[in-house]
Amino acid sequence: MQEYVEIGEELIFIAMGIASVIALAVFSERLIYYKKSLGKKNEDYLNEVRTSLQEEPEIHWKTDAGEESIYTRFLQFALKQLKLGRRGLDESLDGQILSEKLELEKRLPILNTLGNNAPFIGLLGTVLGVIKAFYGLGTLGSSGAEVVMRSISTALLATAAGLAVAIPVVMANNYFSRKSKVILQNLEILKKELLSYQMNKTKV
């Protein structure tokens, strides 16, 4: 049994290492993706478009804010759909918002899963370490105190590793979730103003 417990402990630490690498890769990829639609440059562009929609009914907006962002992509799509009636434009923009939502939430379930389960994986490592410690105590008696203490130390290290992975992963997931909500709310605002723009343009 001792051998299986030791193998289990090793697998736990390997799993923690793999989880941390996956979390770092997902975080880096999502950060690069979100940066394209965040920051002052995009905020200024968004404000410029909204002002144009409200004040200049015949304007043709630029859909190039440097590199492509969700907002420029959304407006490029909207320009092609303005010929539709109000209902058609409304439904097509709703569909585009859902499409962008899927892209924003892409790979976030990985962070959510790792954040929720890493502490339990670490706890499993702790349980295995405690089992190993008590097994050593029963086998070696009082003369094996050093071995027992070492096993308990390793067991607690597994819990620490689980928390070390889970805490930053949960923070990253919450960060991206909040930013996603902000971007989607901005798209909803743009949609309403585009519908108003289309209706006013039709009246002219």
Side-chain angles (χ1 to χ4, degrees):
M1 185 184 74
Q2 183 87 343
E3 294 179 0
Y4 292 116
V5 171
E6 289 179 357
I7 292 173
E9 280 187 308
E10 291 180 5
L11 290 176
I12 291 298
F13 283 107
I14 291 172
M16 288 290 99
I18 293 173
S20 62
V21 171
I22 292 173
L24 182 60
V26 172
F27 173 80
S28 300
E29 187 275 334
R30 288 288 87 188
L31 185 63
I32 293 171
Y33 181 83
Y34 273 72
K35 283 293 183 183
K36 292 180 180 180
S37 298
L38 298 172
K40 190 175 186 305
K41 184 176 181 180
N42 282 286
E43 290 176 8
D44 291 343
Y45 174 73
L46 190 60
N47 290 331
E48 179 186 344
V49 171
R50 292 183 60 194
T51 301
S52 299
L53 285 168
Q54 295 167 4
E55 297 179 356
E56 301 178 58
E58 294 298 326
I59 195 168
H60 296 282
W61 328 288
K62 292 189 305 178
T63 53
D64 178 17
E67 59 182 340
E68 183 181 287
S69 70
I70 286 179
Y71 302 131
T72 58
R73 189 163 58 244
F74 185 77
L75 285 165
Q76 286 169 357
F77 176 83
L79 283 172
K80 297 175 183 176
Q81 305 300 316
L82 283 177
K83 59 189 176 189
L84 302 176
R86 181 179 175 83
R87 183 174 179 181
L89 181 61
D90 189 2
E91 292 179 354
S92 64
L93 293 181
D94 278 340
Q96 183 66 12
I97 289 174
L98 286 175
S99 176
E100 297 295 351
K101 182 179 179 181
L102 290 174
E103 285 297 318
L104 285 168
E105 295 177 352
K106 192 175 181 180
R107 298 188 181 89
L108 291 188
I110 296 175
L111 293 180
N112 189 44
T113 300
L114 291 176
N116 288 334
N117 291 287
F120 295 107
I121 297 174
L123 183 59
L124 176 60
T126 299
V127 171
L128 292 175
V130 171
I131 291 173
K132 180 181 176 181
F134 278 106
Y135 182 83
L137 184 62
T139 303
L140 302 174
S142 58
S143 62
E146 183 179 342
V147 175
V148 172
M149 291 300 102
R150 194 182 305 122
S151 297
I152 291 177
S153 175
T154 303
L156 294 175
L157 186 60
T159 297
L163 292 174
V165 172
I167 292 172
V169 166
V170 169
M171 292 174 64
N173 188 55
N174 289 340
Y175 170 81
F176 290 129
S177 295
R178 287 196 301 271
K179 294 301 181 183
S180 175
K181 288 180 181 178
V182 170
I183 292 172
L184 290 173
Q185 286 172 352
N186 284 334
L187 291 182
E188 286 288 346
I189 292 171
L190 272 179
K191 185 194 91 167
K192 292 181 184 301
E193 293 183 349
L194 281 163
L195 288 171
S196 176
Y197 170 86
Q198 196 267 354
M199 185 173 64
N200 292 334
K201 187 176 180 182
T202 303
K203 291 179 180 178
V204 175

